[in-house]
Amino acid sequence: MNKALSLVWLRRDLRLYDHAALFSALQQQGDVQPVFVFDTDILKHFPSKHDRRLSFIAAALCNMHRELQQKGSGMLVLYGSAQELLPKLVQALQAQYVFAAEDYEPAARARDGHVAKKLQGTAQLHCVKDQVIFSPTEILRDGNAPYRVFTPYSRAWRSMLTPASSAPYDMKDNGRYADYAQLVKTADVAGIKTLRCGDEKSILAMVGYEYQPDNLWPISEARKRLSQFIKHHAKAYPQMRDMVAEDGTSRLSPYFRFGLVSVRECVAEALRSGADKWLSELIWREFYATILYHFPESVNLEWNPKYRGTLNWSHNETLFKAWCDGNTGYPMVDAAMRHLKTDGWMHNRARMVVASFLTKHLRIDWRMGEEHFAQWLMDYDMASNVGGWQWAASTGTDAQPYFRVFNPILQSKKFDPDAAYIRKYVPELSELRGDDIHAPWEQNFKLVYPKPVVDHAKARDEALAMFKAVG
Ligand SMILES: Cc1cc2nc3c(=O)[nH]c(=O)nc-3n(C[C@H](O)[C@H](O)[C@H](O)COP(=O)(O)OP(=O)(O)OC[C@H]3O[C@@H](n4cnc5c(N)ncnc54)[C@H](O)[C@@H]3O)c2cc1C
């Protein structure tokens, strides 16, 4: 009799250690085959042939493939619509099980529902918790309603945390559960085209993209960066986390996004080292995943129903372009927006400043800003991005009150006091000294740099008026 076969369908969990779906598959008696699909239903949202996130994914896949080869296995890589291909693959290989990590985004949930339905009667799709400590349905208020405010959610999250919550899945524990020897290598599948996982360049070319080497987020750095952060930066994190020119935060977000680090390991490290403020940020990440799960409409609509269709958002393309290109005349805003296009990343404080500027000073629809970030951020995560944007626009959960509008000049002086960030990304201003660089229009400098596109005080008043009109 043939051995049972389990497929491990990898999506945003591109690592082999402390891996919930792989661990669960290895617990079955039988063979295990890891699978990745370059999903055309997702790729259609990646119009640029040079998208650095696809290069990151390709590098992570090839890295996993090499690790798997050392264990006598390898990745099975497919190209097409995952929700169509997966059931075909299951049938062709006569697999009994498919294990995958739970995904809480609306489109991913619909896709998984579709696959589960198609598999009915032949195999089972098991989605297991992996990217969070507590899934969106685990932390609920009395009466099983989701939390709507971060502080009580965070309190509940912390009170539920036990050592077991962040215990790793020990993949080497072959005495009791997992055994890498079960991993197999399926070379060809009748009727389904598989892609050879040679190197990142060739595999990306096969799906129509160009590989861009990226030395900002090397694949091999993920866990090293975690340990370096815990060792050297975690202690000063509460003081340094807002300083935009400093290396005060972990810069782990792209690794979180694609699952190259395990959240269990990060939480365990935060607890061990007393990095409580940092732990709090990891809880924000789960809070926003929970909000997106329970309020999927917040992707397109203001989370607070009071503001749906009532705020008079602008769609001014000229001002929007000035913001996207970093040409607003406000140095901190422009530095941050240029940073985004250069590195595909932006510091959290800078994200707050530019999002506030777009939605309050320019009164431009937060959805346009959210979409721009979605296009450029290496760490783009729908839950955190929509959550962050709605926070800045004062339309979301725990939103900043609408009457508190960030002053981009004060933010600049406070969080980039030496203007190192501005000098790096806005070289036109690099000769200015002292406070001049934070508000260059105040002196009569001859600069090849735009004048402010709006006046701060006037823009602030107009933003307040827009919200007041709703009542
Ligand atoms: C308008 C706006 C848009 C944002 N869009 C995204 C996004 O698309 N993807 C994304 O991962 N984060 C987003 N954030 C949150 C935050 O800016 C980034 O997570 C953070 O800057 C990543 O840097 P880091 O890894 O050095 O963070 P650290 O400060 O080291 O924090 C560690 C991890 O905690 C999580 N985290 C930290 N802050 C937040 C937060 N405010 N909300 C949710 N999770 C958080 C991230 O996973 C981060 O990697 C957004 C924030 C704003 C204001």
Side-chain angles (χ1 to χ4, degrees):
M1 199 179 116
N2 282 346
K3 272 198 211 164
L5 174 67
S6 298
L7 301 178
V8 179
W9 179 15
L10 296 147
R11 290 101 65 99
R12 48 185 295 172
D13 45 354
L14 303 182
R15 66 178 189 284
L16 291 178
Y17 83 96
D18 187 10
H19 193 290
L22 180 56
F23 183 84
S24 307
L26 291 172
Q27 281 185 287
Q28 304 298 316
Q29 305 285 316
D31 292 340
V32 173
Q33 172 65 62
V35 182
F36 180 83
V37 185
F38 277 102
D39 190 345
T40 44
D41 296 329
I42 297 176
L43 291 178
K44 67 183 177 210
H45 301 294
F46 288 70
S48 164
K49 293 289 157 218
H50 310 286
D51 197 299
R52 60 207 304 166
R53 291 166 292 195
L54 289 166
S55 293
F56 187 85
I57 291 172
L61 274 184
C62 291
N63 193 47
M64 288 172 78
H65 181 64
R66 285 188 288 271
E67 275 186 57
L68 284 166
Q69 278 181 317
Q70 286 165 11
K71 301 179 198 308
S73 177
M75 292 293 300
L76 189 58
V77 183
L78 312 180
Y79 173 59
S81 165
Q83 61 179 17
E84 303 305 326
L85 276 179
L86 241 289
K88 279 190 195 155
L89 183 69
V90 165
Q91 201 180 30
L93 296 177
Q94 305 258 296
Q96 271 85 350
Y97 305 102
V98 179
F99 289 92
E102 286 175 357
D103 192 324
Y104 310 114
E105 289 187 6
R109 286 168 66 192
R111 174 200 60 201
D112 292 350
H114 184 89
V115 170
K117 213 162 151 198
K118 276 208 159 178
L119 290 182
Q120 260 170 21
T122 53
Q124 287 168 16
L125 172 65
H126 290 284
C127 289
V128 290
K129 180 175 69 172
D130 184 72
Q131 55 156 307
V132 288
I133 299 291
F134 297 114
S135 73
T137 50
E138 282 181 294
I139 299 197
L140 296 168
R141 290 184 293 161
D142 297 342
N144 279 349
Y147 281 94
R148 292 160 168 261
V149 176
F150 176 71
T151 307
Y153 170 87
S154 166
R155 223 179 282 130
W157 191 101
R158 285 171 185 268
S159 73
M160 278 179 62
L161 191 72
T162 65
S165 325
S166 59
Y169 290 99
D170 188 350
M171 313 303 288
K172 292 197 196 81
D173 190 0
N174 56 8
R176 281 189 299 138
Y177 307 110
D179 186 352
Y180 279 133
Q182 289 166 252
L183 283 164
V184 294
K185 167 75 185 132
T186 312
D188 297 306
V189 188
I192 296 179
K193 188 170 177 252
T194 58
L195 306 186
R196 210 179 75 80
C197 209
D199 60 79
E200 33 280 78
K201 204 170 166 188
S202 63
I203 201 159
L204 261 198
M206 284 186 252
V207 297
Y209 289 85
E210 273 178 38
Y211 180 68
Q212 311 284 311
D214 197 334
N215 53 18
L216 288 172
W217 281 277
I219 296 307
S220 56
E221 280 263 310
R223 293 179 82 186
K224 263 188 245 161
R225 197 166 286 194
L226 170 64
S227 60
Q228 292 293 310
F229 172 74
I230 293 291
K231 208 165 158 192
H232 302 297
H233 302 286
K235 205 163 165 224
Y237 182 77
Q239 295 78 42
M240 298 307 287
R241 57 192 284 267
D242 278 317
M243 307 310 286
V244 291
E246 305 293 333
D247 211 4
T249 68
S250 70
R251 298 189 187 223
L252 276 168
S253 48
Y255 298 118
F256 269 117
R257 171 60 185 84
F258 297 105
L260 274 76
V261 285
S262 145
V263 70
R264 286 173 292 281
E265 185 180 34
C266 294
V267 166
E269 283 296 295
L271 293 171
R272 188 186 58 73
S273 64
D276 195 63
K277 186 70 195 154
W278 194 63
L279 179 66
S280 190
E281 298 307 315
L282 301 182
I283 304 175
W284 268 107
R285 180 175 163 273
E286 300 202 1
F287 175 63
Y288 281 142
T290 301
I291 292 295
L292 181 63
Y293 180 90
H294 291 285
F295 305 95
E297 70 280 8
S298 64
V299 174
N300 298 310
L301 294 176
E302 284 74 8
W303 180 84
N304 185 342
K306 172 177 161 182
Y307 292 128
R308 288 184 194 162
T310 54
L311 289 169
N312 191 17
W313 294 117
S314 156
H315 297 92
N316 184 315
E317 286 295 338
T318 311
L319 288 175
F320 183 60
K321 187 171 183 328
W323 178 82
C324 291
D325 294 345
N327 283 322
T328 65
Y330 283 89
M332 170 88 158
V333 173
D334 293 343
M337 294 308 294
R338 295 181 195 186
H339 182 195
L340 175 63
K341 282 198 181 169
T342 315
D343 289 355
W345 191 82
M346 198 194 282
H347 191 284
N348 181 58
R349 172 58 52 178
R351 294 186 204 204
M352 294 197 286
V353 171
V354 302
S356 169
F357 189 84
L358 187 80
T359 55
K360 301 289 172 60
H361 285 76
L362 305 183
R363 299 198 310 286
I364 288 181
D365 198 327
W366 61 270
R367 282 161 280 246
M368 291 167 72
E370 198 275 338
E371 171 61 32
H372 183 75
F373 270 29
Q375 197 188 332
W376 286 94
L377 276 177
M378 265 302 279
D379 63 23
Y380 172 65
D381 174 76
M382 182 180 274
S384 295
N385 202 45
V386 169
W389 272 97
Q390 294 232 32
W391 177 87
S394 302
T395 58
T397 58
D398 268 51
Q400 78 156 344
Y402 77 79
F403 48 83
R404 222 182 282 148
V405 176
F406 278 6
N407 177 331
I409 309 145
L410 293 185
Q411 292 284 317
S412 182
K413 286 182 182 167
K414 194 165 172 198
F415 299 116
D416 188 23
D418 304 326
Y421 189 62
I422 295 175
R423 269 183 247 285
K424 182 166 180 190
Y425 294 104
V426 190
E428 307 95 288
L429 300 177
S430 59
E431 298 301 316
L432 301 191
R433 293 283 162 258
D435 275 356
D436 289 342
I437 195 165
H438 300 288
W441 61 89
E442 286 179 354
Q443 308 294 335
N444 252 345
F445 297 118
K446 281 212 159 51
L447 295 169
V448 191
Y449 180 69
K451 294 266 179 257
V453 289
V454 286
D455 171 73
H456 164 65
K458 191 164 169 272
R460 183 178 176 280
D461 288 347
E462 285 169 0
L464 298 186
M466 176 172 93
F467 279 89
K468 264 194 204 134
V470 179

